[in-house]
Amino acid sequence: MNGQAYTNSYYTASMNQSHDRPEITGEHSCDVCVIGGGMTGTSAALHLAERGYKVILLEASKISWGASGRSGGQMIIGYNQSYQDIKKMVGKDDASKLWKMGEEAMSLAKSQIKKHDIDCDLASGHYHVSTKQRHIGELEEYLEDLETAGYRGCKLLDQSEIRQKIDSQKYLSGMYDPNGGHLHPLNYTLGLADAAEKAGAKLHEHSRVTNIEHGKAPKVYTDKGVVSCKHVALCTNAYLDGLDKKLDKKIMPVGTYILATEPLSENEATKLIPDNAAVADILFVLNYYRLSGDRRMLFGGEVNYSGKDPSDIGKIMQKTMLEYFPQLAPKKIDYAWGGNVAITVNRLPHFGKLAESTYFAHGFSGHGVVLTGLAGKLIAEAIAGSEERFDVFSRIPHQSFPGGRLLRTPALVLAMAYYRLRDLL
């Protein structure tokens, strides 16, 4: 199948009006061919078009069909690694540059929403919360790590304080970041796509790429079309689907799941999370949640490495949600869905070049809502001749997942079983 309809989710039920983009047919030429219509691809197309490049974007299904249109929508600062651990991997100088760019990524997402008037339920504030005694110290270490990186403004909350902010008896402490937040990820990405088109980019849906010829004059092939270009930007993330075997070894698609309750009353929503911030615990297999623009609880978590979704996502996620919020037991589950995120071995983004004219960025490891927009901007900078900032990311060392495509999943499942057990202790 060349393209698929959107998954049945709260996001698609509440998506902004979006027009169909035509499948590409025949021969075309451009400066840059962007592959993938998620947050990274639409951001790259927008930044490139604003620089005056002739851009063609190819999406296998619909714009934001993959993780960008299904995610938790949480805007979390930084990376899925501590600043101290990043320093050990890349050195102090590059670690400092990465952190500053991580802060820039947050500001960029917010400024793009304002600049392009994107209606995506943007809300401020993010809590990390502890559920176990050892997590209290881990949150203290996390705050110290952020401050060492130069990030200010976060605040630790004790048990009484966090329970005033989140109506759950499970939490022992928390850390609040006023600069974090949350948004409707599908509408955010559709907004970036609309802005890219207004800037001159040509977007095509149902145009799955089947082959890329790299080199000085790359060619990108679909079933019905071919694009000749000067540069390629590969922005497929967890949905690379074997398009490049070398890159495929560096990421692992991991399924994660979300439910949406029926809308809560204003009083219920205000009691649940009074300041409407996003929340994530610090379990290894974490739970994350927030309120939607129409006051639904959007509760996410779980992981799956098989590539096949559970038969009843709603029941599984509802069971977990009620452990934290038993008061939501009477509430109907209106939607439940899943999608893949791409993780790397070291949980840091993987940027680089496949050939002299082909750039890629993927493997955001759970921090993609913010970092993807920056990735698109850096790809545009690199294509325009300023590769210095892109190269800071490309210098991050990355390993392949052991076991190849067939064996890496059971190997990872075995490793993850240890962390699941630790979460229970």
Side-chain angles (χ1 to χ4, degrees):
M1 189 174 184
N2 197 40
Q4 300 178 44
Y6 290 110
T7 190
N8 181 27
S9 72
Y10 163 72
Y11 296 139
T12 55
S14 58
M15 68 188 290
N16 295 336
Q17 186 174 2
S18 180
H19 62 277
D20 290 327
R21 278 94 177 179
E23 179 180 1
I24 197 165
T25 58
E27 296 186 3
H28 301 262
S29 63
C30 64
D31 296 318
V32 187
C33 182
V34 177
I35 303 172
M39 291 177 184
T40 309
T42 54
S43 174
L46 172 56
H47 284 284
L48 286 161
E50 286 180 334
R51 286 174 174 266
Y53 287 95
K54 184 179 179 183
V55 179
I56 291 176
L57 182 149
L58 304 176
E59 162 58 40
S61 298
K62 299 283 290 179
I63 295 298
S64 200
W65 175 88
S68 296
R70 310 184 193 202
S71 81
Q74 300 215 353
M75 303 173 75
I76 305 172
I77 195 68
Y79 305 88
N80 198 352
Q81 279 285 10
S82 71
Y83 176 67
Q84 297 295 348
D85 285 338
I86 294 172
K87 275 205 300 186
K88 292 173 186 175
M89 284 186 237
V90 302
K92 184 178 179 180
D93 186 49
D94 273 4
S96 178
K97 291 175 181 176
L98 284 169
W99 187 264
K100 287 176 183 175
M101 285 192 281
E103 291 191 52
E104 178 187 341
M106 182 72 78
S107 299
L108 176 65
K110 294 176 182 178
S111 66
Q112 292 288 66
I113 291 167
K114 183 177 181 180
K115 176 181 177 181
H116 300 291
D117 194 22
I118 301 174
D119 181 10
C120 61
D121 298 332
L122 177 65
S124 296
H126 188 278
Y127 292 100
H128 284 286
V129 290
S130 68
T131 59
K132 300 184 181 299
Q133 200 66 36
R134 70 171 185 274
H135 291 166
I136 297 173
E138 289 176 15
L139 278 180
E140 292 171 352
E141 291 172 4
Y142 182 36
L143 177 61
E144 183 181 348
D145 186 72
L146 292 176
E147 292 180 340
T148 300
Y151 190 63
R152 300 287 186 265
C154 295
K155 180 185 177 183
L156 287 173
L157 305 172
D158 63 22
Q159 185 178 78
S160 63
E161 289 172 318
I162 195 63
R163 291 184 180 180
Q164 291 175 26
K165 301 297 184 181
I166 304 164
D167 191 21
S168 173
Q169 299 304 302
K170 281 280 192 177
Y171 301 127
L172 304 180
S173 69
M175 190 197 80
Y176 179 62
D177 180 4
N179 194 38
H182 58 94
L183 50 70
H184 189 303
L186 175 56
N187 283 338
Y188 169 60
T189 314
L190 291 173
L192 292 177
D194 289 342
E197 285 182 318
K198 287 176 184 175
K202 303 297 182 185
L203 277 57
H204 294 273
E205 297 176 321
H206 305 299
S207 301
R208 181 178 297 279
V209 172
T210 56
N211 187 42
I212 307 170
E213 285 184 7
H214 303 289
K216 288 185 177 180
K219 287 190 176 183
V220 179
Y221 295 87
T222 71
D223 287 337
K224 297 182 182 179
V226 57
V227 178
S228 300
C229 54
K230 298 174 184 175
H231 302 277
V232 175
L234 186 55
C235 306
T236 56
N237 203 33
Y239 295 87
L240 181 63
D241 292 338
L243 185 58
D244 185 273
K245 290 181 172 59
K246 180 181 175 183
L247 279 188
D248 199 57
K249 297 175 182 177
K250 303 292 186 183
I251 57 171
M252 169 71 76
V254 177
T256 184
Y257 304 98
I258 305 174
L259 65 71
T261 67
E262 63 181 316
L264 309 178
S265 71
E266 187 172 348
N267 286 340
E268 288 171 330
T270 301
K271 186 168 175 17
L272 207 63
I273 309 175
D275 58 4
N276 191 30
V279 185
D281 64 34
I282 57 172
L283 292 166
F284 190 81
V285 181
L286 80 163
N287 300 295
Y288 51 91
Y289 54 88
R290 62 191 185 88
L291 296 171
S292 67
D294 58 355
R295 300 191 302 270
R296 300 170 187 268
M297 168 61 91
L298 304 182
F299 192 96
E302 293 296 319
V303 291
N304 188 307
Y305 308 96
S306 70
K308 295 180 180 180
D309 293 335
S311 58
D312 197 334
I313 296 170
K315 282 188 177 179
I316 292 171
M317 294 311 306
Q318 184 184 40
K319 182 174 181 289
T320 305
M321 179 183 73
L322 294 181
E323 292 176 12
Y324 295 87
F325 299 103
Q327 65 269 43
L328 294 179
K331 300 302 177 182
K332 181 170 167 279
I333 306 304
D334 279 351
Y335 303 95
W337 67 95
N340 289 336
V341 298
I343 63 171
T344 59
V345 172
N346 64 13
R347 301 303 192 271
L348 291 175
H350 185 206
F351 291 19
K353 295 171 73 173
L354 284 175
E356 58 184 306
S357 301
T358 302
Y359 296 80
F360 67 85
H362 64 180
F364 300 98
S365 302
H367 284 239
V369 172
V370 170
L371 293 174
T372 46
L374 177 73
K377 181 180 180 180
L378 295 186
I379 288 172
E381 285 181 9
I383 288 173
S386 298
E387 297 192 1
E388 293 88 352
R389 297 193 333 140
F390 183 88
D391 284 348
V392 175
F393 279 90
S394 68
R395 286 196 291 269
I396 298 172
H398 285 277
Q399 295 175 292
S400 297
F401 278 92
R405 196 170 181 85
L406 290 176
L407 297 179
R408 67 183 179 182
T409 297
L412 187 61
V413 169
L414 185 63
M416 295 296 284
Y418 164 78
Y419 291 103
R420 276 186 174 276
L421 180 62
R422 191 168 181 266
D423 280 348
L424 296 172
L425 298 177

